[in-house]
Amino acid sequence: MPADRRRLELHATLTAAGIAPAPGDLDAIEALCALDDTTHVALRRWIDRAL
């Protein structure tokens, strides 16, 4: 399922950036992972560039 793949990718990106999601962030992560692939790629790129 695409949302599952995006969730794993987002967790990997956050982990690589040294950002540990707080328990309250899980709802936000679920909402972000429901977005389309193009938006999700942009989100991960923004996180990577913020470092």
Side-chain angles (χ1 to χ4, degrees), residues 4-41:
D4 292 334
R5 176 184 42 79
R6 290 189 290 263
R7 187 178 308 100
L8 290 172
E9 291 170 347
L10 182 54
H11 274 284
T13 300
L14 291 169
T15 299
I19 302 167
D25 294 343
L26 297 179
D27 289 336
I29 289 171
E30 288 297 319
L32 291 169
C33 292
L35 300 172
D36 62 90
D37 281 337
T38 301
T39 304
H40 200 260
V41 166

